[in-house]
């Protein structure tokens, strides 16, 4: 995407493990597209997690998910150039692309307590507002949210908590990939074609189109 210097440009920065991307990601991205001028998406290796699938596959699955979103053209885009295991580096790269933009860093409610401990957290808070996405089981009226607000501007997204989990899929706790409702059809097909997430439930033939 060409850099834009408009001071009014409001950009949501949404990094996710996408291992694999699911309908919860689709719902979040669709909502973000109604709130921001642009939604920049990437996947990266999270230093707090173990990943099962290479970055290249995760990026491609994200692209397939975004291609099927009912959002304005180019409102939501994958930005591989922003990918880094350290969020502060991603924010530095974002500022190089969009020098005058206002950034909102999108995080799940499960990360609220963890955020102040992140690498160079003070610089993260200075560079972006925080937009928290509700998740089941996390109380966003808690003291941890109040603590985060002492560091930066924090907004809670006005959307329902979505009970979908990539880890649950990876652990083979669901139904076969070819029919798993939490995984978009295009992503299901990619998983099957590339033999990702091997387990009995996920060992299905690639989807075919009429």
């Amino acid at each position: 995407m060409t850099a834009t210097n408009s001071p009014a440009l409001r950009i949501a920065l949404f990094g996710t493990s996408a291992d694999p991307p699911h309908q919860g990601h689709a719902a979040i991205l669709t909502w973000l597209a109604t709130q921001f001028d642009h939604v920049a998406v990437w996947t990266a290796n999270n230093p707090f997690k173990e990943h099962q699938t290479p970055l290249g596959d995760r990026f491609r699955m994200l692209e397939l998910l975004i291609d099927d979103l009912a959002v304005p053209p180019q409102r939501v885009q994958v930005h591989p150039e922003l990918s880094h295991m350290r969020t502060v580096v991603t924010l530095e790269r974002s500022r190089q692309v969009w020098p005058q933009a206002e950034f909102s860093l999108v995080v799940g409610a499960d990360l609220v307590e963890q955020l102040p401990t992140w690498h160079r957290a003070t610089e993260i808070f200075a560079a972006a507002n925080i937009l928290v996405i509700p998740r089941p089981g996390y109380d966003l009226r808690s003291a941890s949210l109040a603590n985060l607000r002492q560091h930066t501007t924090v907004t809670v997204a006005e959307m329902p908590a979505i009970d979908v989990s990539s880890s649950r899929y990876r652990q083979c706790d669901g139904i076969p990939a070819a029919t798993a409702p939490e995984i978009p059809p295009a992503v299901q097909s990619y998983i099957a074609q590339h033999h990702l997430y091997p387990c009995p439930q996920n060992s299905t033939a690639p989807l075919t189109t009429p």
Side-chain angles (χ1 to χ4, degrees):
M1 178 176 177
T2 303
T4 303
N5 293 324
S6 169
L9 195 67
R10 298 175 63 250
I11 296 179
L13 300 174
F14 183 50
T16 173
S17 297
D19 196 11
H22 50 62
Q23 297 290 10
H25 294 116
I28 292 167
L29 292 172
T30 299
W31 184 86
L32 290 172
T34 70
Q35 306 295 313
F36 291 88
D37 301 310
H38 186 67
V39 183
V41 190
W42 69 94
T43 184
N45 289 326
N46 187 326
F48 298 100
K49 293 182 179 179
E50 292 184 5
H51 299 287
Q52 186 166 330
T53 304
L55 268 178
D57 287 315
R58 285 185 270 147
F59 266 113
R60 182 57 187 144
M61 288 188 288
L62 267 180
E63 290 171 342
L64 291 169
L65 179 143
I66 290 170
D67 285 346
D68 286 342
L69 296 180
V71 300
Q74 299 185 336
R75 179 66 58 85
V76 180
Q77 286 186 289
V78 173
H79 287 269
E81 72 275 15
L82 302 183
S83 179
H84 195 276
M85 68 183 300
R86 298 296 188 187
T87 298
V88 68
V89 176
T90 291
L91 284 165
E92 290 169 349
R93 292 176 177 179
S94 300
R95 185 59 66 194
Q96 292 173 357
V97 179
W98 301 284
Q100 304 299 324
E102 176 185 334
F103 296 123
S104 289
L105 181 65
V106 182
V107 300
D110 54 315
L111 297 179
V112 166
E113 291 189 5
Q114 189 187 101
L115 262 172
T117 71
W118 283 11
H119 180 65
R120 294 164 60 187
T122 301
E123 294 174 55
I124 292 173
F125 297 143
N129 301 323
I130 303 298
L131 176 61
V132 180
I133 303 296
R135 292 198 65 176
Y138 292 89
D139 183 3
L140 290 177
R141 298 168 296 177
S142 66
S144 59
L145 191 61
N147 177 58
L148 186 59
R149 285 189 165 126
Q150 295 178 8
H151 300 281
T152 187
T153 300
V154 181
T155 304
V156 177
E158 295 183 1
M159 64 178 298
I162 302 169
D163 189 14
V164 182
S165 169
S166 295
S167 61
R168 195 159 58 207
Y169 178 84
R170 291 196 305 272
Q171 293 162 6
C172 307
D173 288 344
I175 56 181
T179 55
E182 69 272 23
I183 306 297
V187 177
Q188 293 173 13
S189 182
Y190 187 91
I191 289 170
Q193 290 168 358
H194 294 268
H195 309 290
L196 306 179
Y197 312 105
C199 68
Q201 292 97 321
N202 296 343
S203 298
T204 60
L207 294 183
T208 58
T209 55

